[in-house]
Amino acid sequence: MLRDEDVPGVIKRLGIPGIVDVHVHFMAPQVLRKVWAYFDSAGPLLGRPWPITYRWSDDERVAHLRSMGVAAFSALSYAHKPGVATFMNDWNRDFATRVPDSLWSGTFYPEPEAADYVRALIGEGVQVFKAHLQVGDFAADDPLLNPVWAALEESGVPVVLHAGSGPAPGTHTGPGGVADVLSRYPRLPLIIAHLGMPEVHEFLDLAEKYENVYLDTTMAFVDFLADHAIPQGVPERLAKLSDRIVFGTDFPNIPYCYAHQVEVLMRLGLGDDWLRGVLWDNGARLFAGRGGAEGIGWRASGL
């Protein structure tokens, strides 16, 4: 079993500068407490006990990521109702200033103000957004998001989008609304969280059709979700789409150790080149040129 202290050895063996993790959560303390309380209660979107492995302070969690060789990581918050995105974005701006190896992360919600605050954040240099169709209970093709998608397409700033129907279906989850958005904004940079589970094939179809659609590996193939088997043929499709798969973990809100996500990708047997791409190359290339690339180790890759 791979342990967290073994991850630097994997990085060294692969000959990469580190790991780019596009799906990490850092949130304002009062928000994170509510998120952890939901996990502790095994809420209805979870349906099972969900012990959090890394219930630590921000400083301890940042130090742990660094100790494992995670050179860049997002700090995702997600607005779950109107009127909260600005507060979350202000906190994440401060976090990005304090933690230079984090990707400056933002969020939005379908509300009239979204067009203005998203454009403002893009102008200031935000590097990635997060939106959660399941928790926020909104549709990807909500008309209030049209100016947001347009701004993101124009700027090239990606959004990590929880659109799949796992771990439990939501009113607006699934590929339909996302496909509608992409038909109107075909250059929109999307990172589909969790490989879009369980609609993995459908979201892979979108990635094959639209060159700026990526999928992250968060919680894919992990033993904890053994009862949510990845559909047949997915590993072969991941191999063919090797330049559009990026690494994600859901750290710290995971019920197992960080290294397990690396381990399960190694188990796929898709080869070291594929693993290098997922752990480093694809994420580094995706965020190269976005403000703040210096200082998080990417100069070692020549990007």
Side-chain angles (χ1 to χ4, degrees), residues 102-130:
S102 72
L103 298 166
W104 180 2
S105 307
T107 189
F108 54 82
Y109 192 85
E111 53 192 344
E113 302 84 359
D116 290 335
Y117 63 67
V118 166
R119 282 198 177 275
L121 284 166
I122 290 170
E124 294 173 26
V126 73
Q127 293 167 281
V128 63
F129 285 90
K130 171 66 186 286

Side-chain angles (χ1 to χ4, degrees), residues 8-267:
V10 174
I11 292 170
K12 182 177 181 180
R13 182 182 67 80
L14 292 172
I16 53 178
I19 289 173
V20 179
D21 190 337
V22 306
H23 200 135
V24 170
H25 296 287
F26 284 92
M27 304 175 179
Q30 60 270 51
V31 176
L32 190 60
R33 283 195 296 270
K34 291 182 179 180
V35 171
W36 285 351
Y38 185 85
F39 279 98
D40 291 342
S41 70
L45 294 180
L46 303 176
R48 65 173 73 190
W50 195 292
I52 294 169
T53 303
Y54 301 96
R55 198 185 297 262
W56 303 342
S57 69
D58 286 354
D59 289 345
E60 289 171 318
R61 284 181 278 126
V62 168
H64 191 65
L65 289 169
R66 290 170 175 167
S67 75
M68 291 185 292
V70 181
F73 50 90
S74 60
L76 303 179
S77 296
Y78 42 90
H80 61 292
K81 61 182 181 180
V84 302
T86 298
F87 164 77
M88 293 179 173
N89 288 330
D90 288 345
W91 187 90
N92 278 88
R93 179 189 290 104
D94 292 341
F95 182 84
T97 301
R98 291 187 285 111
V99 184
D101 37 349
S102 72
L103 298 166
W104 180 2
S105 307
T107 189
F108 54 82
Y109 192 85
E111 53 192 344
E113 302 84 359
D116 290 335
Y117 63 67
V118 166
R119 282 198 177 275
L121 284 166
I122 290 170
E124 294 173 26
V126 73
Q127 293 167 281
V128 63
F129 285 90
K130 171 66 186 286
H132 205 310
L133 305 185
Q134 183 189 56
V135 172
D137 194 27
F138 62 87
D141 53 359
D142 188 306
L144 286 170
L145 291 179
N146 287 340
V148 171
W149 300 133
L152 294 173
E153 182 184 49
E154 178 185 357
S155 66
V157 178
V159 53
V160 177
L161 184 67
H162 187 126
S165 299
T171 306
H172 303 290
T173 57
V178 179
D180 178 59
V181 169
L182 287 166
S183 71
R184 290 179 287 117
Y185 305 99
R187 295 180 294 106
L188 179 67
L190 290 182
I191 302 171
I192 303 298
H194 306 282
L195 296 183
M197 296 188 293
E199 297 100 342
V200 182
H201 280 299
E202 291 87 341
F203 284 107
L204 284 168
D205 289 343
L206 292 178
E208 290 175 351
K209 184 175 182 180
Y210 298 100
E211 63 181 0
N212 289 335
V213 174
Y214 294 73
L215 296 94
D216 82 34
T217 64
T218 304
M219 298 199 77
F221 309 105
V222 298
D223 294 346
F224 183 75
L225 297 181
D227 55 335
H228 292 269
I230 297 295
Q232 186 175 4
V234 164
E236 293 82 357
R237 296 189 71 183
L238 296 180
K240 292 179 180 178
L241 207 65
S242 61
D243 64 336
R244 232 89 63 65
I245 310 301
V246 291
F247 186 69
T249 59
D250 243 341
F251 177 89
N253 304 328
I254 46 177
Y256 43 80
C257 72
Y258 188 98
H260 183 57
Q261 186 68 72
V262 178
E263 179 181 33
V264 296
L265 297 181
M266 295 169 65
R267 285 183 197 167

